[in-house]
Amino acid sequence: MTPKVPALKYSRDEITAAWQCASILLDYPDELLLSRLDLLDEVAASLPVKIGSGLLETIQFLRRPGVADTQSQYVDTFDTRRRGCLFLTYFSNGETRKRGLALLRIKQVYARAGLELAPEQLPDHLCVVLEFGALTDAKAGLKIILDNRAGLELLRLHLRETGSPWSGAIESVCATLPALKGTDHEIVARLIDEGPADEQVGLDTYGMPDLAPIQGGV
């Protein structure tokens, strides 16, 4: 029996735009990313406040002068703190053989959709998953995110509690997902305890329409 889950609140186009913006904003803040802030700002401002405001907060931070300082803060936020890790399967598996199997399953999802990653890319990096969901296969991308919801919620909570300027982008992504009941810490504890579903649930119950690949990007 297919489990009953809440439908997504936002339209296909709104979710696609939010995920694509977040994917770019959560990447390493190099000159290319910073050159795209005006366009990202325009897209984020067109979204409903609940999912657009967080993106705009992160964009505003990235506009500040001092690229080197911003890059240093990014590394300190995401590369040196385990709770700030952007690799979703790390939260539930750590550096174990089990994580290797989880990575393989995600990579197989990409392969079935015709996506081949560069050798240096890991398939569970949040930016990769969001871009895949936005541009290639929204339903499969949603499945990957929901299977790793505990890690995403733990990352969201960590960034919010530490006052990270990237918190807004994560909050935006989480706002596009089915609502969770309970306090933040209760939610994380419950999700970690329950773990991801073993079987492919009926994704139509998430309210996602049939999505064709979207050409181009933000």
Side-chain angles (χ1 to χ4, degrees):
M1 181 178 179
T2 300
K4 184 178 180 181
V5 295
L8 298 181
K9 298 179 181 179
Y10 302 101
S11 71
R12 153 193 159 169
D13 290 342
E14 290 167 342
I15 293 172
T16 294
W19 285 6
Q20 196 170 2
C21 282
S23 172
I24 295 170
L25 293 172
L26 291 167
D27 207 350
Y28 184 75
D30 58 16
E31 293 291 348
L32 177 59
L33 188 159
L34 299 180
S35 71
R36 305 173 79 181
L37 291 180
D38 286 345
L39 182 54
L40 293 171
D41 193 304
E42 181 180 340
V43 174
S46 72
L47 295 171
V49 173
K50 182 71 174 179
I51 55 176
S53 59
L55 298 171
L56 291 171
E57 290 172 7
T58 300
I59 291 169
Q60 183 178 5
F61 164 76
L62 291 174
R63 289 188 183 281
R64 71 173 191 169
V67 176
D69 288 342
T70 300
Q71 292 174 338
S72 177
Q73 189 168 347
Y74 179 91
V75 171
D76 184 59
T77 299
F78 295 114
D79 292 355
T80 62
R81 302 173 187 269
R82 289 195 301 172
R83 290 188 66 196
C85 179
L86 286 168
F87 296 97
L88 293 177
T89 64
Y90 180 82
F91 289 99
S92 55
N93 299 292
E95 294 295 348
T96 65
R97 181 178 178 183
K98 185 178 179 182
R99 184 183 175 212
L101 295 175
L103 292 174
L104 178 60
R105 284 195 292 270
I106 296 175
K107 197 169 184 179
Q108 289 171 339
V109 172
Y110 293 163
R112 287 195 292 270
L115 176 65
E116 184 175 349
L117 297 182
E120 68 275 10
Q121 287 182 303
L122 286 178
D124 65 334
H125 193 284
L126 181 57
C127 294
V128 175
V129 176
L130 290 172
E131 183 177 1
F132 171 73
L135 299 180
T136 305
D137 190 328
K139 291 183 179 180
L142 177 64
K143 177 66 165 61
I144 294 169
I145 292 172
L146 294 180
D147 279 352
N148 294 279
R149 186 74 179 268
L152 183 61
E153 292 294 332
L154 184 60
L155 175 61
R156 179 185 67 82
L157 186 59
H158 169 68
L159 295 184
R160 190 175 71 185
E161 290 180 343
T162 57
S164 168
W166 285 276
S167 173
I170 296 293
E171 294 282 358
S172 174
V173 172
C174 291
T176 67
L177 304 176
L180 296 170
K181 296 181 180 180
T183 67
D184 289 327
H185 292 283
E186 287 174 345
I187 288 169
V188 171
R190 184 175 71 248
L191 287 170
I192 291 174
D193 181 61
E194 293 174 353
D198 291 330
E199 297 182 5
Q200 179 86 15
V201 300
L203 286 172
D204 287 341
T205 61
Y206 291 113
M208 292 297 289
D210 290 330
L211 303 183
I214 299 172
Q215 301 300 320
V218 172

